[in-house]
Amino acid sequence: MYLQQLLNGIAYEAVGNGNPDISALSCDTSTVKQNCLFFCLKGNKYDGHNFFRKAIGDGAAAIVCDRKLDTQALQIIVGDVRSAMSVAAKNFYDNCVDKLKIVSIVGTNGKTSTSYILDGILSRAGYKTAVIGTNGIFFNGQRHSVGLTTPDPIELHYWFKQMYLNKIDVVIMEASAHAIALRKLDGVRSDVAIFTNFSQDHLDFFHTMEEYARAKTSFFVGKFVRNVVTNADDELGKNLATDLPRVTYSIKSNADIMACNVKVGKEGCSYALNAFGQEALVTTKLAGEFNVYNTLAALSCALLLGVDVDTAVAAVKDVSGVNGRNETIIRSDGARIVVDFAHTPDGIKNILSFLKKTAEGNLIVVFGCGGNRDKFKRPLIAETVSAYADFAVLTNDNPRYEDPRAIARDVYERLSCKYKVVLNRSQATEYALSIATGRDTVAILGKGAEEYQEIRGKKFPYSDVDVVRNLLRIE
């Protein structure tokens, strides 16, 4: 595709002449190809502007930058390189995202579960769907691994094109706060955006809760969204996007779509659904009040898209589980082992309050905190675990470049329940299972369906579910 076609919709100043035929897009010198367009991105550690000479030497036909560089090569100077990369990626992949119906899900917790539930509803209603999120990219019965909840724009628009070529009708996409703040979604307009909830996370990046909130709310404007589905029980959600067409859902207050007479049990939930005056009984195998909210969010979106109530409710009943979210394995003696992705104070409170309420014996919690991330939530996580656990096993999560012992110290100084530190995660899981009786519940938190552990810049194969199955000798 010729450069001028790629730059359609981008305000720029060209320094140099030419309109080269661009063969690829890159923002990483390790992926530069002959005749590619290279974007000089600024990150926390590196500035792509410092590597433009290598990109040119390796074959880049032009450079996108935010200031004039000392080179004779063709330069495209823009106000925001990240935004320009998003729009250029959309153009490079034939604007296929505009030919798809997009549902984006924004929120601190519940995005993945809501995407699974909505996928089940829309599939039952006859839509051909795709899902992009924390657990990967799914369509046509296949799973493709991704490194981020919301892939970077070049990869994201590549997948949009593949989905269009495979005749996908609706793409359900988790939209992370990082993706919004880093302009990954510029050029993408969602037919529906769902807001699930807001609580503390990612303060290593956003620094304050106010900045984190602004990132999320900045997405809910006409530039990015046509219709909004929002949680009226969330303080941020109830006042969100009042100038856009929106549907509200709630358990506790008046809303367009409500769950009444909610019953939460060990094996699932049920409630009376009132949706714009239509009534139905919802039953789901997904347990915990948090899953009442997740099903409400998915149902609200589905009804907004035109799915009839009976079809939507029947589909919710058939959703049996979400990988890495309250994923439960029962040991032969009756002990309940639960693997869950909860890694924020609010997420941990949600899962542990449910497990404590439904536990027959002790609640044993295996958990850790990620390295090089929001350190402010470590004491809050410790306090939350202490409020519910009869015993805690403190271990590694993804330590990244931090000393695991220092991470553990930040946590155990605020633990008030009985605990043991076992930094090897598989050994911590084995220890927790060894002390659990047949009436106990073991919660293994933080990683969910992740298939790796990140240590010193490398991702080593690791799965909490696989470790449990191997320890229990389950095929």
Side-chain angles (χ1 to χ4, degrees):
M1 181 178 288
Y2 287 104
L3 178 61
Q4 288 187 359
Q5 293 174 278
L6 276 179
L7 299 177
N8 185 39
I10 300 171
Y12 68 92
E13 176 191 353
V15 178
N17 298 313
N19 185 28
D21 190 0
I22 300 299
S23 64
L25 308 179
S26 173
C27 60
D28 182 341
T29 54
S30 68
T31 65
V32 169
K33 297 178 181 178
Q34 194 67 31
N35 295 320
C36 80
L37 181 62
F38 182 77
F39 297 87
C40 298
L41 299 185
K42 291 179 182 176
N44 290 330
K45 294 183 179 179
Y46 304 106
D47 183 348
H49 293 81
N50 296 329
F51 302 99
F52 74 89
R53 295 187 189 280
K54 176 169 172 50
I56 293 167
D58 289 345
I63 303 293
V64 180
C65 46
D66 63 15
R67 60 184 182 271
K68 188 175 180 180
L69 301 174
D70 183 19
T71 177
Q72 297 300 309
L74 178 57
Q75 302 170 57
I76 305 300
I77 303 176
V78 298
D80 189 315
V81 178
R82 290 185 179 276
S83 178
M85 182 171 73
S86 295
V87 176
K90 177 184 176 182
N91 291 334
F92 187 78
Y93 287 107
D94 301 321
N95 297 289
C96 285
V97 67
D98 291 340
K99 304 164 189 174
L100 299 162
K101 192 177 289 292
I102 305 294
V103 175
S104 295
I105 306 175
V106 179
T108 306
N109 298 309
K111 296 188 294 296
T112 300
S113 295
T114 301
S115 72
Y116 271 64
I117 300 162
L118 182 57
D119 179 58
I121 297 171
L122 295 181
S123 297
R124 189 183 184 98
Y127 290 95
K128 193 172 182 182
T129 62
V131 176
I132 301 173
T134 306
N135 285 358
I137 292 176
F138 301 84
F139 65 101
N140 278 8
Q142 294 185 315
R143 175 184 179 272
H144 307 272
S145 296
V146 291
L148 299 166
T149 296
T150 310
D152 284 330
I154 298 170
E155 182 183 7
L156 180 63
H157 285 279
Y158 164 81
W159 285 114
F160 283 144
K161 183 168 184 178
Q162 302 311 305
M163 292 167 185
Y164 171 72
L165 294 174
N166 281 275
K167 303 187 185 307
I168 295 298
D169 300 313
V170 182
V171 180
I172 305 162
M173 175 175 66
E174 295 182 47
S176 70
H178 287 81
I180 296 166
L182 296 175
R183 310 295 293 272
K184 292 184 186 183
L185 298 175
D186 282 21
V188 177
R189 194 172 185 210
S190 298
D191 295 271
V192 182
I194 300 171
F195 179 82
T196 60
N197 50 59
F198 177 75
S199 63
Q200 182 174 326
D201 202 6
H202 306 306
L203 295 191
D204 56 304
F205 182 88
F206 292 103
H207 306 299
T208 67
M209 290 293 285
E210 291 75 18
E211 187 179 342
Y212 180 37
R214 277 194 296 273
K216 290 190 180 297
T217 57
S218 70
F219 184 70
F220 290 85
V221 295
K223 178 182 177 181
F224 299 114
V225 174
R226 291 188 175 89
N227 299 280
V228 174
V229 169
T230 185
N231 180 358
D233 292 341
D234 182 272
E235 195 63 34
L236 190 64
K238 68 181 179 183
N239 296 314
L240 190 71
T242 53
D243 57 337
L244 290 175
R246 71 176 199 158
V247 171
T248 57
Y249 64 91
S250 171
I251 295 176
K252 301 174 182 176
S253 56
N254 288 327
D256 299 313
I257 297 177
M258 298 179 61
C260 306
N261 193 25
V262 175
K263 297 178 181 177
V264 177
K266 192 173 182 179
E267 306 299 329
C269 307
S270 68
Y271 57 89
L273 177 72
N274 187 315
F276 302 106
Q278 299 181 82
E279 297 182 348
L281 176 64
V282 176
T283 59
T284 175
K285 302 179 185 75
L286 304 176
E289 185 181 78
F290 51 92
N291 273 317
V292 175
Y293 280 105
N294 294 334
T295 56
L296 271 179
L299 284 165
S300 300
C301 180
L303 297 177
L304 183 60
L305 290 173
V307 179
D308 67 88
V309 172
D310 290 341
T311 298
V313 168
V316 168
K317 186 176 182 179
D318 283 347
V319 176
S320 58
V322 179
N323 293 341
R325 270 66 177 175
N326 196 20
E327 189 168 350
T328 303
I329 300 169
I330 304 299
R331 198 167 65 182
S332 59
D333 65 352
R336 176 174 56 163
I337 299 102
V338 177
V339 173
D340 194 90
F341 187 57
H343 60 283
T344 68
D346 192 57
I348 290 172
K349 178 183 177 182
N350 287 340
I351 185 67
L352 292 188
S353 62
F354 161 70
L355 294 178
K356 185 69 173 178
K357 191 179 298 183
T358 56
E360 296 178 359
N362 289 326
L363 175 57
I364 301 164
V365 181
V366 180
F367 78 108
C369 290
N372 304 111
R373 292 295 187 266
D374 181 359
K375 294 184 179 181
F376 299 104
K377 69 183 181 183
R378 291 176 185 173
L380 300 178
I381 286 174
E383 291 169 4
T384 304
V385 169
S386 298
Y388 296 99
D390 295 290
F391 191 87
V393 184
L394 178 57
T395 188
N396 268 341
D397 190 284
N398 292 315
R400 299 182 178 88
Y401 289 96
E402 268 197 85
D403 181 350
R405 293 168 296 182
I407 298 172
R409 193 179 309 117
D410 286 345
V411 179
Y412 67 64
E413 287 177 349
R414 297 292 284 272
L415 278 174
S416 57
C417 63
K418 295 180 181 179
Y419 71 91
K420 182 180 179 69
V421 178
V422 183
L423 291 180
N424 182 294
R425 193 171 178 94
S426 61
Q427 290 177 3
T429 301
E430 184 175 17
Y431 177 76
L433 295 182
S434 73
I435 63 173
T437 70
R439 295 173 58 82
D440 293 342
T441 295
V442 178
I444 305 169
L445 307 182
K447 295 183 64 60
E450 284 183 353
E451 297 177 339
Y452 63 86
Q453 196 168 26
E454 188 175 348
I455 304 170
R456 293 289 167 188
K458 294 184 178 180
K459 290 186 176 181
F460 297 90
Y462 188 90
S463 162
D464 279 335
V465 172
D466 287 350
V467 167
V468 171
R469 288 185 174 277
N470 288 336
L471 289 170
L472 300 183
R473 293 179 173 82
I474 298 173
E475 293 294 331

